[in-house]
Amino acid sequence: MSRKGILRVRTASRNTSALNDVEKGILVLANGERTIEDIVKRCGLDEYQALSAMHVLCALHITDLLPPQRGAKPAPERVASAPPPPPPAPAAPRGGATNEFPPRVEAGPGTAPPEARSKASKSGPGSAESTAKLRALPEIATPAIPTRVLRIVGDDKTREVPLTASTFSIGRHPRNDLVLKDPRISSFHCRIEAEGDKYVILDLKSRNGTLLNSARIDRAVMKPNDIIQLGSTKISYFED
């Protein structure tokens, strides 16, 4: 958790009645302008207690962690230049003589010259020439977005949970996105976050720790076929 990040309360947050006094105190200070470092100084608590309370608020989707704000210079206003004056009208011929050529019609911004309109009528949207050009265009393939799935293997059944949100919390508490009944798992055990095109798993100061491929971790980038172990529960991570 970056100390320069900003903690902001969501406008439509969940019920906060289950929070303890420390978490409620942190929630009052999270006004969307104070950084993590500023909140730790203002709350008057131990740094470990304050950061643990912020982890819980983010895991419950009550607050969001925003990157540090950077000032942006406003773009200079563009002054529109005045259009050039129209050319003077030609003088009338002397002696009543008429011009043997018809007056030239100037094409406006949305009007095409007569010769261009005649060409457009021959090769319009419904003509065989334009249809052949459209058929010759190559098809652009849309890249497939991989689907990330967590597979939980239990004593009696196996279930799969897709990772569709940017943050995904796991633990015994019913407010988690994935609720596990393993007694060795903490109430808010760990959280999975999207970072670009990858997913990162974070341990939330759990009692028995989070194992990734049999190694205890605090934070790690997940790869396909990784095995997460929480208590006695094993979870496999797949990308289709």
Coordinates of all heavy atoms in Angstrom, one line a residue, residues 13 47 56 83 108 139 208:
S13 N -21.3 2.9 -0.4 CA -20.5 1.9 0.3 C -21.5 0.9 1.0 O -22.7 1.2 1.2 CB -19.6 2.5 1.3 OG -20.4 3.3 2.2
E47 N 1.1 2.5 13.7 CA 1.1 2.4 12.3 C 0.5 1.0 11.8 O -0.2 1.0 10.8 CB 2.5 2.6 11.7 CG 2.6 2.6 10.2 CD 4.0 2.9 9.7 OE1 4.9 3.1 10.6 OE2 4.2 2.8 8.5
V56 N -8.7 -3.7 5.7 CA -10.0 -4.2 5.9 C -11.0 -3.4 5.1 O -11.9 -3.9 4.4 CB -10.4 -4.3 7.4 CG1 -11.8 -4.7 7.5 CG2 -9.5 -5.3 8.1
P83 N -12.0 35.3 -40.6 CA -11.9 34.9 -42.1 C -11.5 36.1 -42.9 O -11.8 37.2 -42.6 CB -13.3 34.4 -42.4 CG -14.2 35.1 -41.4 CD -13.4 35.3 -40.2
G108 N -19.3 25.5 -51.9 CA -19.2 25.8 -50.4 C -18.5 24.7 -49.7 O -18.1 23.7 -50.3
E139 N -10.4 -8.2 -42.8 CA -11.1 -8.3 -41.5 C -10.1 -8.1 -40.3 O -9.0 -8.7 -40.4 CB -11.9 -9.6 -41.3 CG -13.0 -9.8 -42.3 CD -13.8 -11.1 -42.0 OE1 -13.3 -11.8 -41.1 OE2 -14.8 -11.3 -42.7
N208 N -2.7 -17.5 10.0 CA -1.9 -18.7 9.5 C -1.2 -18.4 8.2 O -0.5 -19.3 7.7 CB -2.8 -19.9 9.4 CG -3.3 -20.4 10.8 OD1 -2.6 -20.4 11.8 ND2 -4.6 -20.7 10.8

